[in-house]
Amino acid sequence: MVGRYAAPVYRSHLIRFIYEQKMIAQNSLAHALWLQGFADQAMRVVQQATEGARAIDHPPTVCYVLTEGVCAIALLTRGVAALAEPAASAIDATRRHGVSTWKARGRMWRGLLLLSQGDTEAYARELRPAFDEIGEALFVLHYTGYVSAACMELGLQGCVAEAFELIEAAIGRARRVGDRCSVAELLRVKGELLDREPASKDLAEAQFIEAVKASRQQESLAWKLRCATSLARAWLQQGRRVEACELLAPVYAQFTEGFDTADLQQARALLGSMR
């Protein structure tokens, strides 16, 4: 669709469809590419969408691309620390154009960044109100990566109850609506949260195994890598080095790009520690 798209001569279609359809398609394509393991291509496509949205100077499209595309792909490829510039751009755009839903999405990204910087009140002040305002519309393409990062940051900041509440709700929702693509990553994050608590550490391995099985069923290479990395790390801690390597190495070997992304760097470092 992106390759064959011909922009209408008049802008009346923007009133009918709300957004410029090419940029929406590029945003979806970027997420699909990332899930398939093509992180570099995903970043290039989302950059093209950003340039296109700004070129036509259409506020709803700009807000959509910044919040659903730029921030989401930055988080998936480089981690929470990479959100500083994209989140600031999203906040600026959504504030200038004054649409409440987009303002809430901007606050989500800013809140996640603040939480990662040690602001433990950001969840109650920024994230939770934004979730409530957006409602079911929260569950869009980027939600799984977002809630994954939010839960991990909550756990790191000691907000364990909030992290478990959020991940359980996300898993329940994914299963209820048949969002099978998200289940593997959400189960993995629950395993990571369990692994960090002494009282529940013994339950983490089973959670990781379930996550790996789910990721294999969906054939999403990006989620397969994350799930394999978590389980391999758990096995390595148990002294099961050979099993850990046999699990992670074949998944890592399937990647042909994105080697400077956060996930691949972690997997490579873990494989290096097994030698």
Side-chain angles (χ1 to χ4, degrees), residues 127-181:
L127 274 69
R128 192 72 255 177
F131 289 171
D132 294 340
E133 185 171 343
I134 296 169
E136 278 297 301
L138 171 68
F139 296 93
V140 291
L141 280 173
H142 72 251
Y143 177 73
T144 302
Y146 182 92
V147 76
S148 169
C151 287
M152 296 294 284
E153 292 300 331
L154 284 167
L156 286 171
Q157 301 300 332
C159 304
V160 179
E162 291 87 345
F164 274 108
E165 179 185 12
L166 184 57
I167 198 63
E168 292 287 10
I171 293 170
R173 190 264 176 192
R175 284 175 165 160
R176 187 174 68 253
V177 304
D179 180 11
R180 291 180 293 174
C181 182

Side-chain angles (χ1 to χ4, degrees), residues 28-40:
S28 298
L29 176 59
H31 283 82
L33 286 166
W34 184 86
L35 286 167
Q36 290 178 308
F38 303 120
D40 292 343

Side-chain angles (χ1 to χ4, degrees), residues 35-155:
L35 286 167
Q36 290 178 308
F38 303 120
D40 292 343
Q41 294 180 55
M43 288 187 281
R44 286 197 294 271
V45 170
V46 84
Q47 180 61 35
Q48 293 167 5
T50 306
E51 293 170 356
R54 285 176 170 156
I56 65 172
D57 193 27
H58 184 242
T61 302
V62 170
C63 290
Y64 187 99
V65 170
L66 287 174
T67 58
E68 313 295 282
V70 178
C71 287
I73 297 299
L75 175 65
L76 290 170
T77 55
R78 301 192 300 278
V80 181
L83 285 176
E85 184 177 341
S89 297
I91 284 289
D92 178 63
T94 57
R95 184 178 290 156
R96 280 190 292 111
H97 300 311
V99 181
S100 60
T101 299
W102 294 117
K103 285 182 178 179
R105 294 192 188 280
R107 290 202 309 275
M108 280 174 52
W109 292 110
R110 180 178 62 189
L112 178 57
L113 180 63
L114 292 173
L115 182 64
S116 73
Q117 295 170 342
D119 183 355
T120 56
E121 300 300 320
Y123 181 73
R125 187 183 68 249
E126 300 271 3
L127 274 69
R128 192 72 255 177
F131 289 171
D132 294 340
E133 185 171 343
I134 296 169
E136 278 297 301
L138 171 68
F139 296 93
V140 291
L141 280 173
H142 72 251
Y143 177 73
T144 302
Y146 182 92
V147 76
S148 169
C151 287
M152 296 294 284
E153 292 300 331
L154 284 167

